């Protein structure tokens, strides 16, 4: 792992080289570096038309291509999407397929930074094998709204958990000599009419939530690039938001890398003056705004002196220094790609991302009994559900099925039910060799109930396709699945529900079933992992990275502004909850969710004891975790701030995933990131801790207080 000092040294050396090379470049060469073209012209009549700037010998096209400057040793910049693996949006007919890793919300459930880093390393190895030197990864927007179609591409609702995990995906990718982004800067927390969405938030609360996520993640990973979001923030497009880009990111935080726009998110060349360094996917700008501002308009502005030479040089130097900082220009032979190893990493991510929400003891299913087991719905006979949009990965050997769903806007044609092999049914048959498995498609409640009635046990799947460009209209499962689950549970009380969704869902049938498992979009190894958890081969250890509300009434915005308005309608969403996102909102309102942030059951039990807490300029807590059950398992004890100098305020201060044998104990010490104990003082432009008594708790979730203590902190004004 690069130490911070080493990273800073690399960065300053890279900055020096960036300046040196930029000084040798012609204006035309500089102009060519500040744009990227899509491998395929989106929405064009002749889809698959390649941009003339991509040389004929370049076949591994994907999200972005920027011509290099060979005479100066600057390679072409080739980017692909990467959240869950290397994507192939149809531009590479000869691509054999990539590892389809679990969704980020599943990795968020693992609370395992090391695992996320391993996934990043593997993704980067598969990127290098294709010549991609930039990965559009590091999705770390907060899951503010359980309807947001892209929450599966983000880690959690909490700034600290999201920052720690996003940083590790970036570290994993960049350790392989590939630049990574963090995205989408910022407040890209809904998909409804995202290109015309204005996200409104109190600036100080913004600093304590979404911006703090980026700030901590940048400090922990030095991403070469930041991708700005489609939306506006407080009236200014994120891609041209002078305050967020120049005052905060590059000013207060001193970020040395470059800001790329999202694809088709640059309506105006003046974004270059407000902090944007590269216009991405310029054909998307033609589609949405009827122009490509960083090609013609920007050149004219430069000629008129409206774009200062120093600013054009700065844009180019930032791009170059980020390529040099990770060694994109020093690539030797590509690292070996071991797809077996990558499949194992995907499997481990799926295993650790599965959350056991409810279990009355029906799980694990005994594997040595001749049970009649009904497996119902969710296309469980065919495969595992994935999220849709730019992050969708085409697995090796292809999908087990693709069912078109469609919808409005530019992402409608990408909205499909993608199914990865192997199917849960196949994997359950292997895991339950003595059982007689009976598949029912869950096509109607009546038909499914007949299958359930004649079985000893029922495993019913509930799925929901979610993805980029769409927010769900409510929290229900689509296609009448709730009625099927209800009918099945009425027909047979021994019912287990397995969910494959990208967000929390409502559960009207919850009191009628014996167990509930949330598998999210677990990637290509999800079928295996689900079977292993249901049969006890793997002890579930996932913990919820998002709160499961009883209903939307419990959330800050029961009605989502703009939902259902035609594509292109301007929308304004007031994020009035400010920094009180998710569990913090529930702490504020006192409502009780269906399942709290951090919740997750195990097949063993854990106890916490001997809490010692010290204060001063931050909080340090030590305590002991013991596996009090009869089988090995992993737990994720969490440390929360519950009250700050007399003010009720809940913040996740720390967590650690521990694997323990039966009877084994481990003493843990967690030290809080001080900014989580502070408020942001916008007037001072700094973080302020107020003298007083700070209450903390160690728990299994945001609403559990297994151990409590208090300490005092002293006045402090720090950071930026
Ligand atoms: C998309 C996404 C972004 C992705 C980019 C390139 O629309 O918003 O996450 O990296 O375009 O595909």
């Amino acid at each position: 792992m690069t130490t911070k000092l080493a990273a800073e040294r690399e960065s300053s050396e890279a900055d020096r080289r960036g300046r040196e090379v930029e000084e040798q470049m012609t204006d035309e060469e500089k102009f060519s570096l500040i744009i990227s073209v899509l491998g395929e012209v989106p929405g064009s009549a002749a889809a698959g038309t390649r941009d003339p700037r991509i040389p004929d010998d370049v076949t591994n096209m994907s999200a972005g291509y920027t011509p290099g400057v060979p005479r100066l040793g600057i390679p072409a910049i080739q980017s692909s999407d990467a959240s869950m693996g290397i994507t192939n949006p149809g531009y590479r007919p000869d691509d054999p397929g990539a590892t389809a890793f679990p969704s980020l919300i599943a990795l968020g459930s693992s609370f395992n930074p090391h695992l996320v880093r391993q996934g990043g390393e593997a993704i980067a190895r598969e990127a290098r094998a294709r010549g991609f030197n930039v990965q559009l990864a590091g999705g770390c927007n907060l899951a503010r709204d359980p309807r947001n179609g892209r929450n599966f591409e983000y880690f959690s609702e909490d700034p600290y958990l999201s920052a720690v995990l996003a940083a590790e995906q970036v570290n994993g990718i960049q350790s392989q000599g590939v630049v990574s982004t963090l995205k989408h800067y910022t407040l890209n927390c809904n998909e409804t009419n995202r290109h015309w969405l204005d996200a409104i938030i109190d600036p100080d609360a913004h600093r304590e939530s979404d911006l703090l996520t980026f700030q901590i993640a940048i400090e922990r990973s030095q991403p070469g690039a930041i991708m700005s979001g489609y939306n506006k923030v407080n009236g200014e497009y994120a891609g041209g938001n002078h305050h967020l880009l120049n005052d905060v990111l590059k000013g207060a935080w001193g970020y040395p890398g470059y800001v790329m726009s999202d694809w088709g998110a640059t309506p105006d060349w003046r974004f270059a003056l407000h902090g944007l360094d590269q216009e991405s996917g310029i054909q998307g700008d033609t589609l949405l705004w009827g122009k490509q501002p960083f090609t013609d308009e920007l050149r004219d502005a430069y000629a008129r002196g409206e774009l200062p030479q120093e600013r054009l040089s700065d844009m180019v130097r930032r791009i170059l220094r980020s390529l040099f900082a990770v060694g994109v220009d020093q690539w030797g032979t590509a690292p070996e790609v071991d797809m077996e190893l990558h499949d194992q990493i995907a499997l481990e991510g799926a295993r650790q991302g599965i959350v056991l929400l409810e279990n009355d003891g029906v799980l694990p299913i005994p594997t040595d009994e001749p049970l009649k087991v009904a497996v119902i719905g969710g296309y469980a006979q065919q495969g595992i559900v994935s999220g849709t949009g730019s992050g969708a990965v085409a697995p090796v050997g292809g999908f087990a099925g693709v069912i078109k769903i469609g919808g409005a806007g530019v992402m409608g044609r990408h909205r499909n039910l993608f199914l990865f092999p192997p199917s849960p049914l196949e994997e359950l048959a292997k895991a339950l060799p003595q059982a007689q498995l009976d598949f029912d498609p869950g096509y109607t409640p009546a038909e499914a109930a007949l299958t359930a009635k004649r079985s000893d046990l029922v495993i019913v799947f509930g799925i929901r396709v979610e993805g980029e460009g769409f927010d769900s209209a409510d929290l229900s499962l689509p296609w009448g699945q709730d009625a099927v689950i209800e009918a099945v549970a009425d027909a047979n009380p021994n019912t287990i529900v397995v969910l494959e969704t990208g967000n929390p869902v409502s559960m009207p049938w919850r009191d009628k079933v014996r167990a509930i498992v949330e598998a999210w979009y677990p990637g290509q190894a999800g079928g295996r992992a689900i079977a292993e958890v249901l049969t006890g081969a793997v002890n579930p250890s996932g913990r919820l990275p998002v709160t499961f509300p009883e209903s939307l009434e419990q959330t800050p915005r029961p009605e989502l502004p703009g939902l259902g308005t035609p594509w292109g309608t301007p929308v304004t969403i007031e994020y009035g909850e400010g920094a009180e996102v998710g569990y913090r909102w529930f702490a504020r309102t006192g409502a009780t969710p269906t399942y709290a942030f951090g919740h997750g059951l195990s097949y063993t039990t854990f106890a916490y004891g001997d809490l010692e807490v010290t204060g001063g300029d931050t909080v340090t807590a030590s305590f002991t975790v013991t596996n009090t059950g009869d089988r090995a398992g992993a737990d994720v004890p969490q440390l929360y701030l519950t009250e700050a100098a007399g003010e009720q305020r809940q913040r996740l201060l720390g967590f650690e995933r521990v694997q323990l044998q039966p009877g084994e104990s481990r003493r843990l010490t967690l030290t809080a990131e001080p900014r989580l104990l502070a408020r942001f003082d916008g007037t001072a432009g700094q973080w302020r801790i107020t003298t007083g008594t700070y209450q903390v708790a160690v728990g299994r979730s945001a609403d559990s207080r297994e151990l409590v203590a208090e300490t005092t902190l002293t006045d402090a004004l720090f950071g930026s």
Side-chain angles (χ1 to χ4, degrees):
M1 172 104 68
T2 311
T3 63
K4 200 162 164 57
L5 190 64
E8 280 159 3
R9 197 168 40 248
E10 278 164 17
S11 174
S12 58
E13 168 59 16
D15 289 332
R16 185 193 61 74
R17 286 191 58 211
R19 282 192 300 276
E20 199 176 83
V21 171
E22 185 272 332
E23 283 160 2
Q24 302 170 58
M25 292 171 73
T26 67
D27 283 352
E28 266 316 303
E29 287 168 339
K30 294 178 191 175
F31 289 135
S32 75
L33 214 61
I34 58 171
I35 57 101
S36 76
V37 296
L38 260 166
E40 177 191 45
V41 183
S44 63
T49 321
R50 65 186 295 153
D51 185 277
R53 276 162 285 208
I54 302 178
D56 290 343
D57 64 348
V58 170
T59 55
N60 57 333
M61 297 181 291
S62 191
Y65 180 89
T66 300
V69 185
R71 72 179 186 87
L72 294 173
I74 303 170
I77 302 173
Q78 299 195 174
S79 68
S80 84
D81 279 293
S83 300
M84 303 175 289
I86 305 299
T87 61
N88 179 5
Y91 307 161
R92 303 187 302 279
D94 56 349
D95 193 304
T99 305
F101 291 95
S103 54
L104 297 192
I105 197 166
L107 294 180
S109 305
S110 76
F111 280 71
N112 188 340
H114 173 69
L115 189 66
V116 176
R117 183 189 174 102
Q118 275 189 312
E121 290 166 353
I123 288 169
R125 288 193 290 266
E126 292 188 34
R128 281 195 58 167
R130 293 167 171 81
F132 297 141
N133 45 31
V134 174
Q135 287 298 276
L136 308 171
C140 61
N141 291 102
L142 296 183
R144 285 180 172 269
D145 185 328
R147 291 162 291 207
N148 178 25
R150 291 193 84 173
N151 281 342
F152 76 94
E153 283 191 85
Y154 308 143
F155 289 99
S156 88
E157 67 189 30
D158 177 75
Y160 181 65
L161 175 62
S162 299
V164 167
L165 297 183
E168 284 315 304
Q169 188 178 50
V170 171
N171 284 329
I173 289 170
Q174 299 197 147
S175 72
Q176 304 299 307
V178 176
V179 174
S180 182
T181 60
L182 281 172
K183 69 184 186 180
H184 308 87
Y185 185 82
T186 64
L187 224 50
N188 185 177
C189 300
N190 279 102
E191 289 295 299
T192 299
N193 281 336
R194 61 184 182 169
H195 305 273
W196 303 277
L197 187 159
D198 192 358
I200 308 294
I201 190 166
D202 168 78
D204 293 353
H206 193 190
R207 289 298 299 269
E208 294 174 13
S209 50
D210 300 68
L211 283 174
L212 182 57
T213 308
F214 277 91
Q215 187 176 17
I216 294 174
I218 288 169
E219 290 166 359
R220 295 172 78 109
S221 65
Q222 299 86 39
I226 297 292
M227 185 193 299
S228 51
Y230 280 117
N231 55 288
K232 294 179 179 177
V233 178
N234 293 337
E236 296 288 325
Y237 272 111
N241 196 303
H242 175 80
H243 171 66
L244 292 179
L245 298 179
N246 285 336
D247 295 344
V248 178
L249 178 68
K250 296 180 177 180
W253 300 348
Y255 177 66
Y258 69 104
V259 177
M260 65 168 76
S261 73
D262 204 334
W263 268 237
T266 312
D268 190 322
W269 78 265
R270 277 177 287 270
F271 282 21
L273 300 177
H274 299 164
L276 184 67
D277 300 305
Q278 190 178 62
E279 175 190 357
S280 309
I282 61 176
Q283 302 96 320
D285 287 313
T286 304
L287 198 63
L288 282 158
W289 313 107
K291 54 182 174 176
Q292 301 178 355
F294 277 24
T295 40
D296 314 329
E297 289 181 350
L298 181 136
R299 278 181 170 76
D300 297 344
Y302 183 72
R304 295 194 303 273
E306 280 183 56
L307 174 70
Q309 261 187 352
E310 304 71 51
R311 177 56 188 135
L312 178 61
S313 293
D314 176 50
M315 294 164 77
V316 169
R317 289 175 183 181
R318 286 175 175 272
I319 295 168
L320 293 176
R321 56 83 50 205
S322 286
L323 299 177
F324 299 150
V326 298
V328 158
D329 62 324
Q330 312 286 326
W331 277 11
T333 47
E336 188 211 342
V337 176
D338 176 347
M339 294 298 273
E340 271 308 305
L341 168 66
H342 293 185
D343 185 51
Q344 280 304 315
I345 294 170
L347 177 58
E348 198 51 36
R351 285 167 171 166
Q352 296 190 21
I354 290 174
V355 185
L356 180 57
L357 296 174
E358 206 74 58
N359 181 27
D360 71 358
V362 68
L363 290 178
I365 302 169
T367 55
D368 55 356
E369 291 176 19
L371 294 169
K372 286 186 288 185
V373 179
V375 177
I376 297 180
Y379 288 93
Q381 87 284 19
Q382 203 166 347
I384 284 285
V385 179
S386 166
T388 73
S390 58
V393 176
V396 173
F399 292 107
V402 178
I403 292 133
K404 287 218 161 294
I405 294 179
V410 292
M411 298 311 290
R413 65 191 179 106
H414 299 281
R415 192 188 192 194
N416 307 308
L417 169 57
F418 290 118
L419 293 163
F420 295 136
S423 73
L425 181 64
E426 232 173 292
E427 294 302 317
L428 281 165
K430 291 180 202 165
L432 294 167
Q434 311 295 331
Q436 174 200 322
L437 266 56
D438 202 353
F439 176 73
D440 177 292
Y443 185 54
T444 70
E447 185 181 301
L450 293 172
T451 305
K453 200 164 184 61
R454 63 171 187 259
S455 307
D456 299 319
L457 194 65
V458 182
I459 303 167
V460 56
F461 284 78
I463 66 173
R464 190 166 79 169
V465 174
E466 299 176 63
E468 182 176 350
F470 300 91
D471 287 332
S472 301
D474 60 24
L475 300 183
S476 66
L477 290 173
W479 300 322
Q481 293 177 91
D482 283 328
V484 168
I485 296 172
E486 189 114 24
V488 159
D490 286 341
N492 187 329
N494 298 327
T495 291
I496 298 153
V497 176
V498 179
L499 297 169
E500 294 171 37
T501 63
N503 263 304
V505 292
S506 49
M507 305 174 180
W509 31 262
R510 184 171 156 241
D511 296 336
K512 296 185 172 181
V513 302
R514 296 189 60 189
I516 305 170
V517 173
E518 176 61 75
W520 307 116
Y521 300 143
Q524 67 183 39
R528 280 170 285 171
I530 288 170
E532 289 172 336
V533 164
L534 294 183
T535 58
V538 164
N539 188 353
S541 58
R543 298 290 184 271
L544 288 179
V546 293
T547 305
F548 269 56
E550 280 289 351
S551 71
L552 288 168
E553 301 317 310
Q554 289 188 327
T555 68
R557 264 170 310 288
E559 301 298 322
L560 180 62
L563 191 68
T565 55
W567 172 255
T569 308
V571 175
T572 297
I573 297 182
E574 305 254 355
Y575 289 102
E577 70 277 16
E580 307 317 308
V581 181
Y583 67 86
R584 300 171 172 194
W585 177 256
F586 281 82
R588 176 68 56 89
T589 62
T592 304
T594 305
Y595 298 109
F597 172 90
H599 170 74
L601 302 177
S602 170
Y603 294 146
T604 185
T605 51
F606 298 94
Y608 306 150
D610 309 325
L611 174 61
E612 292 170 335
V613 174
T614 57
D617 55 10
T618 186
V619 165
T620 298
S622 298
F623 57 93
T624 302
V625 195
T626 303
N627 179 342
T628 48
D630 56 7
R631 66 168 287 173
D635 189 26
V636 184
Q638 303 135 46
L639 174 67
Y640 290 95
L641 169 70
T642 55
E643 195 177 293
E647 178 202 342
Q648 184 282 332
R649 191 190 318 154
Q650 184 163 20
R651 298 283 186 267
L652 176 70
L653 298 178
F655 63 87
E656 185 164 335
R657 179 190 170 86
V658 283
Q659 177 75 28
L660 297 172
Q661 292 303 318
E664 185 184 1
S665 291
R666 184 88 48 82
R667 185 126 184 102
L668 302 180
T669 297
L670 301 175
T671 298
E673 153 59 54
R675 286 167 288 195
L676 294 169
L677 297 159
R679 301 309 303 270
F680 188 76
D681 177 336
T683 310
Q686 292 197 280
W687 297 87
R688 182 184 302 279
I689 288 180
T690 309
T691 296
T693 301
Y694 286 69
Q695 308 269 354
V696 297
V698 173
R700 306 174 193 290
S701 64
D703 64 359
S704 102
R705 305 266 189 282
E706 300 294 313
L707 306 171
V708 295
E710 64 183 45
T711 185
T712 53
L713 298 182
T714 49
D715 257 342
L717 192 61
F718 60 99
S720 61

